[in-house]
Amino acid sequence: MAPPAPRHSVLEDVLGILTGTVIASFGLFLLKSSAAVTGGTAGLALLLSYVGAVPFGVLFFAVNVPFFLLAIWKKGWNFTLRTVAAVALVSLFSSLHPILLQVDTLNPVYGVLLGNLVIGVGLLVLFRHKASLGGFNILALIVQERLGWRAGYVQMTLDVVIVLAALTVVSPLVVLLSAAGAVVLNLVLALNHRPGRYLGT
């Protein structure tokens, strides 16, 4: 029998959550700079930011509040507090990126595909430090734990609904590109976040 895996220290968790949120928020910055969308609560917040004057970071935190309650019920306070911190940090960093980094020209195909790839890597880091970006991440992780379905495939299905809803806001071509990006993001999760594969706790 293999010895139990060593637990992450508090410092490792803090640095891991900071790293994951910086990476994920940069991916969202690339998507917004490409005028694209994605799935989940991030996609919903992007859509609302395109049609209103409220900043993305504020919307992202607000739409996640109901999912925090679900996380408390199903995942406990430890996971929930880490997720609240991660969502708050992504909201903060999403407001800082446009100030600190000016993008004059960005190919939308490159921006959308790279943005989703980067978000997927950020989510992997957060998952491995017992956190998420709220919303559908919480639902996908709960389904994976309860039914054994891979979180990436569960989230991919849910994300399709959000991306299709984008047809009411952006052009069909952008929606098609966004859908391809969502597939890239969720394949990153499906291929790399499997039950029992990662031993760090």
Side-chain angles (χ1 to χ4, degrees):
M1 182 176 179
R7 301 182 67 85
H8 290 303
S9 68
V10 173
L11 179 59
E12 288 172 335
D13 281 334
V14 169
L15 293 177
I17 291 173
L18 279 173
T19 301
T21 52
V22 169
I23 293 172
S25 64
F26 181 69
L28 288 167
F29 168 74
L30 292 176
L31 292 188
K32 189 166 177 60
S33 299
S34 304
V37 293
T38 188
T41 51
L44 179 58
L46 278 172
L47 287 177
L48 294 174
S49 71
Y50 293 151
V51 298
V54 181
F56 166 79
V58 175
L59 290 168
F60 182 57
F61 191 87
V63 298
N64 269 296
V65 170
F67 292 96
F68 295 153
L69 301 177
L70 176 64
I72 293 171
W73 178 39
K74 290 293 188 180
K75 298 286 291 179
W77 280 102
N78 184 43
F79 175 86
T80 302
L81 291 175
R82 292 171 189 238
T83 294
V84 171
V87 171
L89 285 170
V90 166
S91 298
L92 172 64
F93 293 142
S94 295
S95 300
L96 291 178
H97 289 311
I99 299 172
L100 300 176
L101 180 62
Q102 302 296 319
V103 177
D104 295 325
T105 304
L106 179 63
N107 181 286
V109 175
Y110 178 82
V112 170
L113 296 182
L114 179 62
N116 278 283
L117 180 64
V118 168
I119 293 169
V121 173
L123 286 173
L124 283 175
V125 175
L126 291 173
F127 287 172
R128 291 180 175 184
H129 289 274
K130 306 291 187 184
S132 77
L133 288 183
F136 291 165
N137 293 164
I138 296 172
L139 288 176
L141 287 172
I142 290 172
V143 170
Q144 175 169 287
E145 291 176 1
R146 297 293 190 274
L147 302 177
W149 300 351
R150 290 186 189 173
Y153 293 141
V154 173
Q155 183 153 336
M156 186 185 302
T157 302
L158 297 171
D159 286 349
V160 167
V161 176
I162 297 296
V163 172
L164 289 177
L167 286 168
T168 62
V169 177
V170 297
S171 70
L173 181 60
V174 172
V175 170
L176 183 62
L177 182 57
S178 299
V183 170
V184 169
L185 189 161
N186 288 292
L187 280 176
V188 171
L189 299 182
L191 296 175
N192 294 282
H193 187 70
R194 301 183 185 181
R197 166 164 289 185
Y198 181 65
L199 298 179
T201 57

